Amino acid sequence: MGIVSLPSSGMEPENPTRSQVLTLEEVRNELGDCKRCKLHQTRRTIVFGEGNEKATLMFIGEGPGYDEDVQGRPFVGRAGQLLTKIIQSINLQREEVYIANIIKCRPPQNRNPEPDEIQSCNPFLRKQIQVIQPKIICALGTFSAQTLLKTETKITALRGKFYDLEGIKVIPTYHPAFLLRNPDKKREVWEDMKKIAEWINNA
Ligand code: URA
């Protein structure tokens, strides 16, 4: 299976020496009661991310919705329940992977994240990736895939292929919320998950 190289995305870990690598707790503390973008005015909770600090596989979604904003945890609403099933479909548990989002605060009325909001959050997502050092990132949906890979290519064209991000493989797939509206697309996500499982099992 070919690996597609993309131009620098600005998301690459900077290859820090071990002593420079923070813990997730330190990254969370640095984020603090973030007011770096306008979303702080309307959010209830910062949804930092959760899971295994040493995960091989990391999922990155778009941003918190209503349920996540209330609970302070990523992917806990209907789309989240489907994501949990998707993770389990490759014999992993939620606790074994790490789950985060491109932005950590819910946009009003769940509108799309805006470029300045993505930019404000980006350093913290990068630090989370640096700490976790996953082998594979599964980018969930358009915003995640396009932000991580710094491309405007459509998710339909991006999905199901491995991209290289400074040694980390990124495989985009459809967002679980999209699957809830388009259940016929589940087959493609299943194909993408099989590729991830195959890669992990052969690594
Ligand atoms: N959709 C996302 O992209 N992220 C969440 O955490 C929940 C829903």
Side-chain angles (χ1 to χ4, degrees):
M1 185 178 319
I3 297 187
V4 186
S5 275
L6 287 168
S8 166
S9 71
M11 288 297 300
E12 298 90 341
E14 288 149 9
N15 267 337
T17 60
R18 205 64 231 175
S19 62
Q20 290 171 296
V21 176
L22 303 171
T23 63
L24 286 178
E25 191 183 350
E26 286 166 330
V27 179
R28 179 66 190 85
N29 289 341
E30 198 181 320
L31 182 64
D33 182 27
C34 186
K35 295 189 167 70
R36 292 170 182 81
C37 84
K38 56 190 174 304
L39 293 179
H40 81 272
Q41 295 163 356
T42 46
R43 70 150 188 253
R44 220 176 286 203
T45 324
I46 295 175
V47 181
F48 181 69
E50 69 178 21
N52 179 359
E53 183 150 350
K54 296 195 165 85
T56 299
L57 173 59
M58 181 168 179
F59 288 88
I60 302 182
E62 180 178 317
Y66 175 83
D67 295 294
E68 292 76 22
D69 182 51
V70 169
Q71 294 189 40
R73 297 176 55 208
F75 281 99
V76 289
R78 276 186 72 223
Q81 285 161 22
L82 181 53
L83 177 62
T84 302
K85 285 189 191 155
I86 290 170
I87 294 167
Q88 290 168 346
S89 78
I90 54 166
N91 294 321
L92 288 172
Q93 298 303 314
R94 250 182 97 105
E95 301 72 39
E96 294 178 84
V97 305
Y98 194 87
I99 305 174
N101 281 305
I102 293 292
I103 56 166
K104 301 192 187 315
C105 295
R106 181 190 182 211
Q109 279 82 48
N110 295 343
R111 65 154 168 75
N112 290 338
E114 293 177 355
D116 61 309
E117 297 157 1
I118 293 174
Q119 274 315 105
S120 302
C121 249
N122 192 17
F124 295 94
L125 180 61
R126 283 178 54 187
K127 285 182 190 181
Q128 285 172 292
I129 295 171
Q130 277 177 11
V131 172
I132 297 161
Q133 299 185 8
K135 297 275 188 289
I136 303 191
I137 293 174
C138 180
L140 298 168
T142 300
F143 273 92
S144 176
Q146 292 186 344
T147 302
L148 290 169
L149 301 175
K150 212 174 183 193
T151 177
E152 290 182 3
T153 305
K154 290 205 157 55
I155 185 71
T156 43
L158 292 172
R159 66 147 280 277
K161 300 187 194 98
F162 286 105
Y163 301 84
D164 181 70
L165 209 59
E166 295 278 307
I168 301 173
K169 293 200 164 31
V170 175
I171 178 166
T173 196
Y174 293 129
H175 194 287
F178 174 78
L179 294 183
L180 290 173
R181 298 190 300 272
N182 301 275
D184 54 313
K185 298 287 182 191
K186 283 184 186 173
R187 174 181 290 276
E188 283 152 85
V189 172
W190 170 235
E191 294 301 325
D192 301 343
M193 294 308 295
K194 279 199 294 193
K195 286 182 193 171
I196 292 173
E198 205 175 285
W199 194 90
I200 291 175
N201 293 333
N202 291 327

